[in-house]
Structure formats: structure tokens, C-alpha cells
Amino acid sequence: MRVNVAGLVLENPTILASGIIGETGESLLSAFEAGAGAVVTKSIGLEARKGYSNPTLVELPFGYLNAMGLPNPGIESFGEEVLLAVRGGATVIGSVFASEAEIFAQLSSKMEAFGVSAVELNLSCPHASGYGMELGVDPGVVREIVLAVKKSVTVPVFVKLTPNTHRIIEVAQAVQAAGGDCIVAINTLRAMAISIEAGRPILSNIFGGLSGPAVKPIGVRCVYEMYDVVDIPIIGAGGIETWQDALEYIMAGAVAVQIGSGVGRRGLRIFKEVNSGLERYLKSRGIESLEDLVGTAHA
Ligand code: DHB
């Protein structure tokens, strides 16, 4: 079930999403060996960051609410982790976050030097001041960042977008106009939970990002809307736990899917399960290639 995502050829359409077990070379490799077609690193910044204090994660019946605070070791120390995964044979996509275009460009160029096959710009973390979605809701800012990164790397540039805006279409168009190679939709939704015993918000950061099955219809809607207006490939993400979920995203217009919370909720076997389900579906319908199903929900 080989798929071509902006020139990047993957053995299958399932990708480990950023933020779940993407902190070390070993864990990236374990997801790839479990059957992911590619793996995305935890978002990496210029300097080391400890992240927020606990609690950083709330498990809900329908997904996760998290606010880690972009913890990471800084780009210089992350090189060895990427190298380990790449040497082990994994196709690695390097996720980066920054507060301005030039730093995005610098981080992306380092990631390329470490050996990643693509970079993914985090323009969508829903709760870190000065980062992520604060930039990713503004088409002008998105354009400037993508332009700067495109000048600094030769690998494909993926841009992960936030659903926390009414301007997602304009943002997607800005990514394409600036030469971005692929859109990843969606990141988590800004959300919160309150402990009624303590009478206080549960997360130390108060606000976090909601992921998991609860957000799937929103992700599918975003992919469907964007597919009508952009020509670059879209990777679907948000609440995928079964091959049927993946197929829904593909029919909406996604060429591949990312799985994050699904790995936490179901384990690493999820990649093989989704892939074998999709293969069985193609076979039973006599469909040659998954690409024949991309966007077929559009009349
Ligand atoms: C974090 C970053 C994200 O981009 C996101 O969607 C959720 C959480 C974080 O590190 O806190």
C-alpha cells in the first residue's frame, strides 16, 4: 500500500503523529518497526524546555486532554535521536516549533542535516504562549514562516494546522501559496477540564489540547473543506483508531493519516491493524490503489 506524499514515498499510509512516543530515537524506531509508514518526532525548539508541571494529561472516556508545554531537549541534543532512528531504517519527519520564521528555518535546516525525510512545522499547539496556534491562525504569518523554511531546506515541508480558527481555509491557501508541500490536519482542540472535588482546573496550565475519538468529525470536516480549495496533499489526523476511521479521512481527501492518541489508547499494534484493514478493504472491492479513494466523498 505504498503512498506518495509530496514526493516522499511511504510503505503504507499510517504515520506516527507528533507528541506520542516521539521523544527518543529508540521509541521512534519502535513505532516504525511496529508498522508505521513514517514517524514524526516530538516538536523540537531551539533551546531545551522543561515543559509545564504536572498534571499535564487528563484521560477522558473519548480521548485525551493534554498540555505538556512543548518539553524537549533543544535541537542540538536531538540530532543523535534522529540519527539513531534513521540508521535503524525509519522514515523520520522532524517536527519543529518556534516563535518566528527565521528560527523555524534554522531548526528545519538542522533537522534536514540530521537526516529527516521531511519537516513538519507545528503551527498549531493550542496553548503555548507565542507558539503554535498563535502563529497558525494568521494566514500572513503562516505564509512568512513557510516561505522562510522553503528557502532553507530541500526536503518536503509539511505544515500542521489548527482547527481552532474560522480561517482554516485561508491558512491552508497561505501554506500552498508559500510553497508548502503538504498540510497536516488537524492538531488538538483547545479545551479544559475541571476537578469538581478540588473546584479547580485539572491541568496545571488550565488549558490544553483535546485529541482522540471526540475530535474525529472535526478533523474529517477540516480535511474535506481544504481538499476543495488546495492542490497539495493533505495528511489527515485526529481520532483515528480503526481502518474505517482512516478510510473516512481518505475519502474526505487525505492521502495518508497520522495516529497519535490511538497509539496511547490501543498500543503500537494500531498501525498493523489499520493497514491490514485497509488492504482487506481494497482487495474486497477490487481497488488497485489507495490513491483511487482519495477525496471520493466529494461528488
Ligand atoms: C503540546 C504541543 C502540541 O502541539 C499539542 O497539540 C499539544 C500539546 C505540548 O507539548 O504541550
Side-chain angles (χ1 to χ4, degrees):
M1 254 190 325
R2 217 166 253 194
V3 291
N4 185 326
V5 185
L8 178 62
V9 177
L10 309 180
E11 285 306 315
N12 69 67
T14 62
I15 301 170
L16 174 74
S18 182
I20 295 259
I21 71 158
E23 290 84 3
T24 71
E26 295 245 4
S27 59
L28 287 164
L29 198 51
S30 69
F32 191 78
E33 285 170 351
V39 291
V40 189
T41 69
K42 175 75 182 156
S43 294
I44 304 297
L46 204 51
E47 309 285 351
R49 266 173 75 103
K50 280 182 69 170
Y52 306 137
S53 50
N54 283 327
T56 54
L57 180 72
V58 186
E59 227 177 311
L60 300 167
F62 40 80
Y64 295 128
L65 176 63
N66 89 87
M68 300 296 169
L70 295 162
N72 81 98
I75 192 75
E76 292 303 339
S77 337
F78 198 67
E80 58 187 291
E81 306 299 339
V82 175
L83 273 173
L84 197 150
V86 170
R87 287 208 184 112
T91 301
V92 180
I93 301 168
S95 172
V96 294
F97 75 92
S99 57
E100 54 183 285
E102 277 321 307
I103 299 173
F104 267 106
Q106 207 179 318
L107 295 169
S108 300
S109 149
K110 291 257 175 182
M111 280 288 190
E112 176 162 34
F114 296 157
V116 300
S117 301
V119 293
E120 181 179 281
L121 311 182
N122 180 343
L123 294 181
S124 42
C125 173
H127 50 70
S129 176
Y131 299 111
M133 142 187 161
E134 288 187 13
L135 312 166
V137 295
D138 183 330
V141 172
V142 170
R143 183 186 139 82
E144 189 196 342
I145 292 169
V146 176
L147 279 173
V149 173
K150 280 299 288 180
K151 274 193 215 144
S152 76
V153 296
T154 59
V155 291
V157 176
F158 295 4
V159 186
K160 190 161 184 180
L161 297 184
T162 178
N164 299 293
T165 170
H166 61 283
R167 302 179 76 185
I168 192 159
I169 294 304
E170 286 167 79
V171 171
Q173 285 168 326
V175 171
Q176 172 165 304
D181 298 285
C182 171
I183 288 166
V184 183
I186 56 176
N187 202 323
T188 54
L189 281 101
R190 189 169 161 88
M192 72 181 294
I194 291 171
S195 158
I196 56 171
E197 286 81 31
R200 287 278 180 275
I202 300 177
L203 292 170
S204 74
N205 187 57
I206 303 177
F207 306 111
L210 180 67
S211 60
V215 313
K216 192 190 74 177
I218 300 166
V220 171
R221 182 269 296 172
C222 290
V223 170
Y224 187 96
E225 277 193 295
M226 287 191 277
Y227 182 80
D228 281 330
V229 297
V230 298
D231 297 321
I232 54 177
I234 303 166
I235 295 173
I240 295 166
E241 302 212 332
T242 64
W243 67 266
Q244 291 95 334
D245 295 332
L247 187 55
E248 209 178 322
Y249 271 98
I250 291 164
M251 288 176 168
V255 297
V257 295
Q258 289 189 355
I259 304 178
S261 300
V263 173
R265 288 162 53 90
R266 304 240 177 157
L268 281 173
R269 66 176 192 275
I270 195 167
F271 295 108
K272 283 209 172 116
E273 286 173 0
V274 169
N275 285 320
S276 56
L278 289 173
E279 264 164 5
R280 278 196 312 273
Y281 178 86
L282 290 182
K283 209 168 173 192
S284 70
R285 301 271 168 141
I287 300 167
E288 285 217 349
S289 152
L290 203 61
E291 280 158 20
D292 295 340
L293 289 169
V294 174
T296 50
H298 299 251

